[in-house]
Amino acid sequence: MSVAEVLECLVGPAPEPQVHTEAPPTDEETAAAMKIYFKSRKPTLRKKDEHKTKTTEALEEVMKAEWPQLSEDRRLSYVRKVREAAARGGGAQQQAPTVLKKGSTVPRMLIGRHKGSEVLLAERGLLPPGSLRGCCEAGKHTSDNKCCCKRLLGAQPDFKYERSALE
């Protein structure tokens, strides 16, 4: 029997993957996407204006006229850039809270993204001055579990007693 067959006997069949559909862009996301498009398009528009008669505002009007003519995929690619920047914390949109309250819904920008062990340790006030390794070499752990991020997080009660999907 293969490992996959054993797991299917123990846990049951794997769930069907969920199809992820993107939410339509908000007005703020569209405006920010248009700004990104304008930044990339502005040098080309300036080159085409041989007599340098168009002001920045006039160039923006040309860009606004071009925006609806772009394909849906092209416009969505600029919206995705805005969403990615917002998820990293560099966007003009409101950032997601660092600590979610029990029972609150998870913001869209955090779904499918990992925080990382350093962020988790910093939120709990456990990150010591100086940097910790992500994980120590095998057999080099200290007895106080403060040698690396993996051991320090693993010693926390909510991580220690969490049941895995196989248990």
Side-chain angles (χ1 to χ4, degrees):
M1 241 182 171
S2 70
V3 173
E5 292 170 333
V6 171
L7 281 175
E8 190 169 331
C9 289
L10 292 173
V11 184
E16 291 294 320
Q18 294 178 349
V19 178
H20 176 71
T21 57
E22 259 184 276
T26 63
D27 292 339
E28 294 167 351
E29 288 174 334
T30 303
M34 286 175 75
K35 285 181 184 177
I36 293 172
Y37 173 69
F38 181 64
K39 273 187 181 178
S40 66
R41 190 81 174 98
K42 191 174 179 179
T44 307
L45 292 174
R46 287 223 185 267
K47 283 181 187 175
K48 286 183 179 180
D49 184 21
E50 296 170 4
H51 304 292
K52 309 288 185 219
T53 56
K54 293 186 179 174
T55 63
T56 302
E57 291 81 21
L59 293 175
E60 282 182 20
E61 290 302 318
V62 171
M63 183 270 310
K64 285 180 184 175
E66 287 180 357
W67 181 258
Q69 296 171 358
L70 295 176
S71 70
E72 184 70 23
D73 289 338
R74 182 102 188 263
R75 287 193 306 253
L76 273 177
S77 70
Y78 287 104
V79 171
R80 282 188 200 109
K81 288 179 184 180
V82 170
R83 288 177 177 168
E84 288 169 6
R88 287 191 308 266
Q93 294 182 340
Q94 182 181 0
Q95 258 185 304
T98 53
V99 179
L100 298 174
K101 294 184 172 131
K102 191 172 187 174
S104 65
T105 58
V106 177
R108 271 191 329 199
M109 63 184 76
L110 292 180
I111 294 174
R113 303 210 186 267
H114 300 284
K115 278 186 169 182
S117 36
E118 281 186 44
V119 174
L120 289 170
L121 290 170
E123 284 177 0
R124 294 163 181 251
L126 297 172
L127 194 61
S131 62
L132 284 177
R133 288 189 177 127
C135 183
C136 289
E137 296 173 21
K140 304 248 179 178
H141 298 294
T142 60
S143 59
D144 63 354
N145 290 330
K146 293 184 180 178
C147 54
C148 62
C149 291
K150 181 180 177 182
R151 295 289 281 213
L152 193 55
L153 270 176
Q156 298 303 306
D158 56 336
F159 279 81
K160 194 176 196 174
Y161 299 113
E162 181 71 27
R163 293 183 65 186
S164 69
L166 292 176
E167 288 181 311

